[in-house]
Amino acid sequence: MGLNGYRANNELGTKALRIANWVVRLIQRPSSLTRLVRLLISLRSSSLDDWAALLHNVSAVVDQEGALRELAQYVDGLWKIRRNLSNWGRAFLLMAMANTLRVRTNRCKVFRSILGAIGGLNSEVLSTLVKAHVHLKLTEAGPHCGVDPADRLGGLISKVEGMRGSVEISNESLMDFLRRLSTKALGTPLST
């Protein structure tokens, strides 16, 4: 009942999602995290991007397969409306999808979908970060879908080394992504 005021006010709903993203790092029990996601799904329309960040943060710390399967359903729901996400929100969605790879029965199809969507990110650095995360999660998930993740990660490292000194960090999508990924932002309000 207390969420009604947040649902009616996008600004309050967005703030609640952002606070929840910080709280995720403090919650120790996966069942509490999935309950939090179930509770906050009604606020997702306040900020789909912050909802994507929440799904990523929760899927990054949940290790129980049942909880990950439940999260995969929320991730799949957001995937269907991914065109409504900003660039940094899509990056979090793709990383959340990668976090759920190990519980997917159609792992290789999901992996290929993620790789195809990475090309739509408008920041080379952001694309590279997401790609590295996806290949790391594929390595952890098991069968590698005809890809050598270690080789791909090595190639990504070389790519990042080649970018050194030539990358423009002022890209707003990258900065928004990094702000939401950072734990240092805990004490400071995030700009929209």
Side-chain angles (χ1 to χ4, degrees):
M1 285 176 42
L3 288 177
N4 286 336
Y6 288 89
R7 277 188 223 120
N9 183 320
N10 279 342
E11 187 178 334
L12 285 177
T14 298
K15 285 180 181 180
L17 288 170
R18 289 179 182 174
I19 290 168
N21 271 303
W22 294 329
V23 170
V24 163
R25 296 170 182 151
L26 305 174
I27 296 176
Q28 300 296 314
R29 292 186 336 201
S31 62
S32 297
L33 289 170
T34 52
R35 265 187 272 145
L36 176 69
V37 170
R38 269 185 251 127
L39 177 70
L40 294 176
I41 191 168
S42 64
L43 299 179
R44 73 179 170 200
S45 62
S46 296
S47 173
L48 285 177
D49 294 316
D50 288 302
W51 175 248
L54 180 69
L55 291 176
H56 164 262
N57 290 334
V58 171
S59 64
V61 296
V62 167
D63 59 356
Q64 294 176 341
E65 287 192 9
L68 265 180
R69 278 191 191 89
E70 182 179 345
L71 289 171
Q73 294 173 2
Y74 292 110
V75 170
D76 291 346
L78 187 56
W79 175 257
K80 292 175 185 170
I81 56 172
R82 66 189 175 278
R83 293 189 189 340
N84 297 326
L85 293 167
S86 72
N87 206 45
W88 67 266
R90 282 193 307 274
F92 275 116
L93 171 61
L94 296 173
M95 291 185 356
M97 289 178 74
N99 291 343
T100 64
L101 277 175
R102 70 181 173 103
V103 297
R104 304 277 188 160
T105 55
N106 54 352
R107 179 178 298 134
C108 294
K109 181 180 176 188
V110 172
F111 173 72
R112 284 188 287 278
S113 295
I114 295 169
L115 288 183
I118 288 173
L121 298 176
N122 68 3
S123 164
E124 186 176 6
V125 177
L126 187 55
S127 296
T128 303
L129 289 171
V130 173
K131 211 176 275 187
H133 180 81
V134 170
H135 281 89
L136 178 64
K137 291 301 174 180
L138 181 63
T139 300
E140 294 172 0
H144 300 143
C145 306
V147 174
D148 180 359
D151 184 50
R152 294 284 174 102
L153 285 170
L156 290 170
I157 290 168
S158 297
K159 183 176 182 178
V160 169
E161 286 174 349
M163 286 186 212
R164 199 178 294 176
S166 66
V167 175
E168 187 173 327
I169 295 295
S170 64
N171 179 304
E172 269 314 299
S173 293
L174 176 62
M175 295 309 295
D176 285 338
F177 173 81
L178 293 174
R179 281 185 197 107
R180 273 130 182 119
L181 198 58
S182 170
T183 56
K184 291 190 180 208
L186 189 63
T188 59
L190 295 171
S191 61
T192 54

